Amino acid sequence: MMITPKEYQNRALDALRGYFRACKQYGNADTAYYDVTRQIFGTGIPYRDVKEVPGLPYVCLRIPTGGGKTFVACHSISVAASDLLNADFPVVLWLVPSNAIKEQTLNALKDRNHPYRQALEETMSSVSVLSVQEALYVTRPTLATGTTVIVSTMQAFRVDETEGRKVYEQSGALMDHFSNVEPALIASLETYADGKPIQSLSNLLRLHRPIVIVDEAHNARTQLSFETLARFNPSCIIEFSATPDTEGNPSNVLHSVSAAELKADQMIKLPIRLETRPNWKELVGDAIELRKHLEGISMKERMATGEYIRPIVLFQAQPKNQNHETLTVEVVEQCLLDDFSIPPEQIRRATGTDKGLEGLDLSDSSCDVRYIITVQALKEGWDCPFAYVLCSVAEMRSSTAVEQILGRIMRLPKARRKQNEELNMSYAFATSRNFIETANALEDALVQNGFNRQEAKDLITKIPEKSNGGLEQFWTKATEAVKEIPKLESLPEEIAAKVTYDEQKGEITFSGVMEEHEKFALQHCFATTEAKASIERVFRKTRGLPSEQPKSPAERGESFSIPVLSIKQGNLFEAFEQTHFLERPWELSKCDPSLNESEYSLKKFDGKVMEIDVSERGKLAKRFISDLHEQMTILTNDQTQTVANLVYWLDRTISHQDIPPSESGPFLTSLVHFLLDVRSFDLSQLYHDKYTLRQRVSEKIEQHRQMAFVRAYQSLLLPECATPLVVTPDVCFSFNPLEYPYNSLYKGSFQFKKHYYKEVGNLKDNGEEFDCAVFIDTLPEVKYWVRNIERRERHSFSLQTTTDKFYPDFVCLLSDGRYLVVEYKGADRWSDDDSKEKRALGELWEKRSNGKCLFVMPKGKQLDAIAEKIRRTD
């Protein structure tokens, strides 16, 4: 089954796409980066150029461990090819930090059933995946007819390595690639004294301007690495890392993903529940018992959902030491066999010398492995979502002891939330007398896995010590006094089995870690607020959470649903979205096919690909993008140039799923003939400039599409429309109390008291938008509110515009039951076209609600307009 990118992964790819398009718009990587980061972060970030390759676009996508960096990297290739290179068949140099990961990546990318390969083939045609050794014999037709991905380590390209020397040496197998090379391209290649190009793999890469993918970039960012990459004349470098370099050679971080986003898209097991004990054998025993408990829960999960899970414990042993005894892999294994009678077939070693996991499919239901003993061998190229428990027999005093192995227990099986909450968590055991010290080390390890410091503090759950110790710490029977007799007969059978009520004592007891939906179900068994609060205390006890902390409305289980614009379809109402006006037919073939001078003009080509003699780096940097496009155009020079072929290429490479060929074909034919007959272009000129032409034609089609959409959209807004838009309580958007996928966390000193969630996301601690949030939080009429996160379709309130969704800044529930939506706009932007459209749409939503919903867009600092809107009685 084809796996589609998650929402946060699409946002990362959109940021990359926007950057590459800005590179083409501005003609340089520096200005593009500053402009795009200003749009993303609110402040433009200075670009750090690669002095070895001036003007080279190179950026980093920061994705924490468990976020699918490699999957996003596969999709990034098509983004670079179409939005930067203007290439149908790019060459990709995929660099990884170690041989272990190289083999893993090669195997995955070559396997047509693997999600990575499927991601490549979904967006690129005829994909070939090669090792460096295979690339030494790659044929010219392979590069000319498909996407070629070469997977290697950075070390393999260093001249002092045997493999590296072969990359730079002449190879007869590559001779054909250098026959009849255009003179304009030879200047960019390494040549012999007679001016002929050296027939090497290095030169072949220079010729094709590879897209460079760097996996775990912080392991490769040295001066030597940049010097090596410069020899291949890359078109761009895209780094993927959980922990980008911030000091030595700082990365140009374009986009960062948060733990909240990963959790909302069900990628990782959080929080991490931590237990510490001074006695390592007792600790091992607890880990074994916990694993057995989780396996029992997993069997119930399989009966309910069909999903197979076999929880695995990772034991982290100590390395051997000649000076004193240590708890080595052998010692831990003997302990499992002798002290706990674990069957040998359930144990595997995974160290530098013990390859117990080779050739083993841990996800297979016939596999017996439940315990894996390692030191650090799992830190590279190993992945098993069944790994739920990390047990370190060494004291966890520093993050370096666990930072790599910790990520191995955080991936959620099948990236899907489980019905039982205990299967959505990770578990860590450490031999220690000091919980705080161990928790701090674990927190540091999370930071090293790409989570920010503030997130990491909230992701580690402290489990209180008990006098009898043991596994009671993980699933105690939590008891609370209640003055009301619960109506337990309304509970589902599987929840009722965990609940007992002692009528004589007036106590309710819950066995296990209570899940959110179980808490809500139990609270519905009571009528009084006091009794419901008792269930909240039971819930917090079972999860090891402090009880004195005030709860947010989301934590209390309060619902927050707000009516949306809806449309009547037959006898039903459904949320109004883009598909309702996209379905209105329109005819592209009857639209104007002309492109005037401002819409399309040819660029002059001076016959040079790179000004290699210019000593000033600034000039080289300014020419990088244009030179790249010229080189790619020469490489893909079409031999058969006809109007029909050009029209076919445009039709095939411009995305228009909403337009049938019967409409696109005549339009594109008329457009090409207009350029030839009216504007007097030569067909060869259009072919030479076909990628720019494609972009301009795509923009022209989009103009016509938007005009058609606007007409259809506006017709739906009219009251006399056959299917008018309405606002009804039957169609609402509901905020998910368990998921709030912010990208950054509010860190200010002001304590918001009415925010629906515990955290406030994507809000700075100063500025006019912050002032607006404070104003809302202090209004007596506001019951609670949400900082609405933009572009979170499943998690945020939105209103549909002609082009996309409008996500207002703040969504409020008033104490009188009405709803208030606030979109803040600075005074300088209050009157622009975008604000006018949003204001008109918000006011329409308000009008159609018959007084139930309010919309306001204060002009700059005129925040009193919010209070006036609430208190107005007309």
Side-chain angles (χ1 to χ4, degrees):
M1 183 178 68
M2 186 76 70
I3 296 177
T4 57
K6 299 281 190 176
E7 283 188 12
Y8 74 89
Q9 293 172 333
N10 277 324
R11 288 192 289 271
L13 291 168
D14 286 344
L16 186 65
R17 185 177 292 109
Y19 172 66
F20 285 149
R21 289 179 178 177
C23 285
K24 292 166 73 171
Q25 175 187 348
Y26 294 114
N28 72 78
D30 189 329
T31 307
Y33 183 75
Y34 187 87
D35 182 63
V36 172
T37 53
R38 181 177 55 81
Q39 295 177 37
I40 294 174
F41 302 116
T43 302
I45 301 173
Y47 184 72
R48 301 177 181 92
D49 206 358
V50 180
K51 67 178 182 181
E52 292 82 3
V53 191
L56 171 73
Y58 95 93
V59 289
C60 176
L61 299 181
R62 176 188 169 275
I63 302 177
T65 297
K69 292 188 291 293
T70 306
F71 183 70
V72 177
C74 291
H75 280 277
S76 73
I77 293 172
S78 64
V79 173
S82 61
D83 291 292
L84 177 68
L85 265 72
N86 291 342
D88 295 328
F89 310 121
V91 173
V92 181
L93 187 56
W94 189 304
L95 300 175
V96 296
S98 70
N99 286 323
I101 296 182
K102 180 189 72 174
E103 293 304 318
Q104 182 192 30
T105 305
L106 269 170
N107 292 337
L109 294 180
K110 287 187 175 187
D111 181 0
R112 294 185 181 277
N113 295 318
H114 197 284
Y116 296 167
R117 176 59 179 250
Q118 292 173 348
L120 286 176
E121 293 184 336
E122 181 185 0
T123 53
M124 307 301 299
S125 58
S126 186
V127 177
S128 299
V129 179
L130 309 172
S131 65
V132 172
Q133 291 80 4
E134 292 168 330
L136 291 169
Y137 300 93
V138 67
T139 65
R140 190 167 186 169
T142 298
L143 299 188
T145 59
T147 300
T148 304
V149 181
I150 302 170
V151 181
S152 175
T153 62
M154 180 66 75
Q155 297 89 317
F157 289 109
R158 289 174 178 158
V159 181
D160 55 354
E161 299 285 336
T162 302
E163 189 178 33
R165 286 195 294 274
K166 291 180 180 179
V167 171
Y168 304 100
E169 291 173 353
Q170 189 272 345
S171 171
L174 301 176
M175 185 182 304
D176 185 44
H177 293 277
F178 298 94
S179 62
N180 302 317
V181 175
E182 291 286 339
L185 297 178
I186 293 178
S188 67
L189 303 179
E190 296 177 344
T191 61
Y192 294 110
D194 60 3
K196 294 182 179 180
I198 299 172
Q199 298 159 353
S200 65
L201 178 57
S202 170
N203 239 5
L204 183 59
L205 291 171
R206 288 182 69 85
L207 185 64
H208 286 271
R209 306 299 297 274
I211 299 167
V212 176
I213 302 291
V214 185
D215 189 7
E216 290 302 342
H218 62 281
N219 291 315
R221 304 190 85 260
T222 65
Q223 199 60 42
L224 178 60
S225 299
F226 286 125
E227 291 172 0
T228 301
L229 290 175
R231 294 193 67 175
F232 307 136
N233 203 10
S235 59
C236 62
I237 300 176
I238 312 171
E239 301 178 346
F240 293 87
S241 179
T243 53
D245 189 355
T246 57
E247 297 178 0
N249 289 290
S251 297
N252 292 313
V253 177
L254 180 69
H255 184 85
S256 292
V257 175
S258 71
E261 291 175 279
L262 295 188
K263 188 176 181 182
D265 271 324
Q266 304 177 15
M267 293 295 288
I268 51 179
K269 311 184 198 98
L270 287 175
I272 299 172
R273 306 202 71 195
L274 173 64
E275 178 190 355
T276 60
R277 276 178 173 272
N279 185 299
W280 74 273
K281 285 194 176 183
E282 290 180 358
L283 194 79
V284 169
D286 283 358
I288 291 171
E289 287 303 313
L290 171 62
R291 198 215 66 77
K292 289 179 180 177
H293 172 75
L294 292 175
E295 184 157 7
I297 294 173
S298 300
M299 293 172 68
K300 294 178 182 177
E301 186 84 15
R302 189 178 189 182
M303 292 176 64
T305 67
E307 182 179 355
Y308 172 72
I309 299 173
R310 186 183 67 262
I312 291 175
V313 179
L314 301 183
F315 287 106
Q316 186 177 30
Q318 295 175 321
K320 294 180 180 179
N321 191 304
Q322 294 181 347
N323 299 321
H324 58 85
E325 289 187 2
T326 57
L327 301 175
T328 63
V329 169
E330 292 78 10
V331 172
V332 174
E333 181 178 28
Q334 207 59 47
C335 173
L336 295 179
L337 294 169
D338 297 345
D339 295 350
F340 297 100
S341 302
I342 303 297
E345 63 271 16
Q346 294 187 6
I347 306 170
R348 284 290 186 277
R349 297 182 187 182
T351 66
T353 55
D354 293 306
K355 308 293 184 181
L357 297 177
E358 281 192 1
L360 200 62
D361 183 2
L362 291 172
S363 63
D364 193 313
S365 59
S366 64
C367 179
D368 290 321
V369 175
R370 286 161 170 78
Y371 304 94
I372 296 171
I373 312 170
T374 186
V375 179
Q376 284 290 356
L378 297 182
K379 68 180 182 179
E380 293 182 340
W382 189 85
D383 180 38
C384 177
F386 286 178
Y388 267 82
V389 184
L390 169 63
C391 181
S392 179
V393 298
E395 283 214 42
M396 200 183 291
R397 291 184 174 178
S398 69
S399 64
T400 56
V402 289
E403 66 185 50
Q404 293 288 352
I405 201 170
L406 180 63
R408 307 285 81 85
I409 66 166
M410 292 177 64
R411 289 172 173 82
L412 189 62
K414 295 190 183 251
R416 185 168 60 227
R417 190 175 181 84
K418 313 309 169 196
Q419 289 186 2
N420 193 294
E421 195 66 22
E422 288 173 273
L423 296 176
N424 295 320
M425 302 179 187
S426 303
Y427 302 87
F429 294 79
T431 304
S432 175
R433 296 180 182 277
N434 189 323
F435 178 90
I436 299 300
E437 187 178 76
T438 305
N440 288 339
L442 201 58
E443 178 188 317
D444 291 340
L446 280 170
V447 172
Q448 293 302 316
N449 275 276
F451 301 97
N452 69 50
R453 179 68 62 181
Q454 194 164 350
E455 286 178 322
K457 288 181 181 297
D458 295 332
L459 297 180
I460 301 166
T461 302
K462 180 178 180 179
I463 301 167
E465 292 289 340
K466 296 207 171 182
S467 58
N468 61 341
L471 290 171
E472 292 296 310
Q473 297 179 40
F474 278 98
W475 52 85
T476 181
K477 292 181 177 179
T479 300
E480 275 287 327
V482 287
K483 295 181 179 179
E484 178 185 347
I485 299 175
K487 298 177 180 179
L488 299 179
E489 61 273 9
S490 63
L491 285 177
E493 184 179 341
E494 64 272 15
I495 301 178
K498 303 178 184 180
V499 180
T500 56
Y501 174 69
D502 188 325
E503 191 169 351
Q504 289 185 342
K505 294 182 178 179
E507 292 179 344
I508 191 164
T509 301
F510 187 91
S511 300
V513 176
M514 187 183 291
E515 302 175 22
E516 293 277 359
H517 75 275
E518 292 173 328
K519 178 183 75 173
F520 298 149
L522 264 176
Q523 287 177 327
H524 281 302
C525 296
F526 294 93
T528 65
T529 302
E530 184 180 359
K532 290 182 179 183
S534 296
I535 298 303
E536 176 65 32
R537 288 193 292 274
V538 172
F539 170 76
R540 297 189 70 82
K541 282 183 179 181
T542 68
R543 297 170 71 91
L545 300 173
S547 58
E548 67 278 1
Q549 185 178 1
K551 308 296 180 297
S552 67
E555 290 175 309
R556 295 195 299 267
E558 296 190 33
S559 62
F560 189 178
S561 299
I562 177 170
V564 298
L565 273 175
S566 59
I567 188 170
K568 190 172 185 179
Q569 298 285 79
N571 295 322
L572 301 175
F573 289 98
E574 57 186 49
F576 176 57
E577 56 185 24
Q578 196 175 41
T579 54
H580 291 113
F581 56 87
L582 292 184
E583 292 168 353
R584 300 293 179 97
W586 66 287
E587 297 176 305
L588 178 63
S589 61
K590 295 183 179 179
C591 296
D592 177 20
S594 63
L595 287 176
N596 58 39
E597 179 71 24
S598 64
E599 292 173 315
Y600 175 67
S601 60
L602 276 177
K603 295 178 293 183
K604 302 289 186 180
F605 177 48
D606 59 9
K608 297 179 182 178
V609 172
M610 182 64 75
E611 294 182 359
I612 56 174
D613 293 328
V614 177
S615 59
E616 298 149 18
R617 293 176 63 252
K619 291 184 179 179
L620 281 174
K622 289 178 181 178
R623 288 210 50 168
F624 186 93
I625 302 298
S626 59
D627 290 340
L628 170 65
H629 290 161
E630 293 297 348
Q631 183 165 344
M632 300 311 296
T633 298
I634 295 171
L635 273 175
T636 57
N637 190 26
D638 298 83
Q639 301 301 315
T640 308
Q641 298 183 354
T642 66
V643 170
N645 283 347
L646 181 58
V647 168
Y648 173 74
W649 182 83
L650 290 170
D651 199 25
R652 178 172 58 84
T653 59
I654 294 175
S655 177
H656 57 77
Q657 295 178 350
D658 57 324
I659 305 171
S662 59
E663 291 292 322
S664 60
F667 174 81
L668 293 171
T669 301
S670 298
L671 185 146
V672 172
H673 277 296
F674 174 85
L675 294 175
L676 295 173
D677 301 337
V678 179
R679 296 195 56 197
S680 303
F681 286 114
D682 291 333
L683 187 58
S684 60
Q685 290 177 307
L686 297 182
Y687 262 94
H688 181 81
D689 199 42
K690 69 178 184 178
Y691 290 99
T692 301
L693 175 63
R694 178 180 66 182
Q695 182 178 342
R696 300 295 178 256
V697 174
S698 180
E699 291 168 357
K700 186 74 173 182
I701 293 174
E702 184 61 25
Q703 287 177 13
H704 291 312
R705 179 185 285 115
Q706 287 306 318
M707 290 174 65
F709 288 173
V710 167
R711 289 192 294 269
Y713 179 84
Q714 290 178 341
S715 70
L716 291 171
L717 302 186
L718 298 174
E720 61 269 22
C721 175
T723 55
L725 299 185
V726 298
V727 176
T728 167
D730 296 332
V731 184
C732 290
F733 168 80
S734 298
F735 288 98
N736 188 331
L738 305 179
E739 298 174 356
Y740 182 51
Y742 54 82
N743 184 263
S744 60
L745 208 52
Y746 166 73
K747 300 176 182 178
S749 58
F750 180 85
Q751 296 295 311
F752 290 104
K753 295 181 175 61
K754 297 182 180 180
H755 195 253
Y756 179 67
Y757 296 101
K758 173 186 174 184
E759 304 89 356
V760 179
N762 293 26
L763 183 69
K764 294 184 177 180
D765 57 5
N766 58 61
E768 294 182 1
E769 206 163 76
F770 165 74
D771 293 340
C772 185
V774 172
F775 186 86
I776 291 170
D777 196 71
T778 54
L779 284 172
E781 295 91 345
V782 172
K783 184 177 181 181
Y784 45 76
W785 60 280
V786 169
R787 168 59 162 158
N788 202 42
I789 309 296
E790 192 174 23
R791 297 189 62 214
R792 306 295 193 270
E793 191 168 342
R794 293 187 298 112
H795 298 91
S796 295
F797 171 78
S798 65
L799 297 171
Q800 181 66 52
T801 71
T802 56
T803 56
D804 53 17
K805 290 183 181 292
F806 160 41
Y807 295 88
D809 294 320
F810 307 103
V811 180
C812 314
L813 174 65
L814 302 182
S815 298
D816 61 10
R818 291 181 299 164
Y819 302 95
L820 170 69
V821 166
V822 181
E823 169 69 1
Y824 176 81
K825 284 293 177 188
D828 58 328
R829 293 176 293 137
W830 195 82
S831 300
D832 62 24
D833 290 342
D834 177 68
S835 297
K836 288 179 181 177
E837 182 183 19
K838 291 177 177 176
R839 196 157 58 246
L841 184 57
E843 290 169 355
L844 174 72
W845 172 74
E846 175 183 329
K847 184 177 180 181
R848 298 284 169 92
S849 75
N850 296 318
K852 187 67 174 177
C853 304
L854 306 175
F855 176 86
V856 62
M857 182 185 287
K859 186 175 183 179
K861 297 182 179 181
Q862 298 176 9
L863 300 179
D864 286 339
I866 301 173
E868 292 171 7
K869 169 66 74 171
I870 296 173
R871 296 160 189 167
R872 191 180 299 163
T873 56
D874 55 359

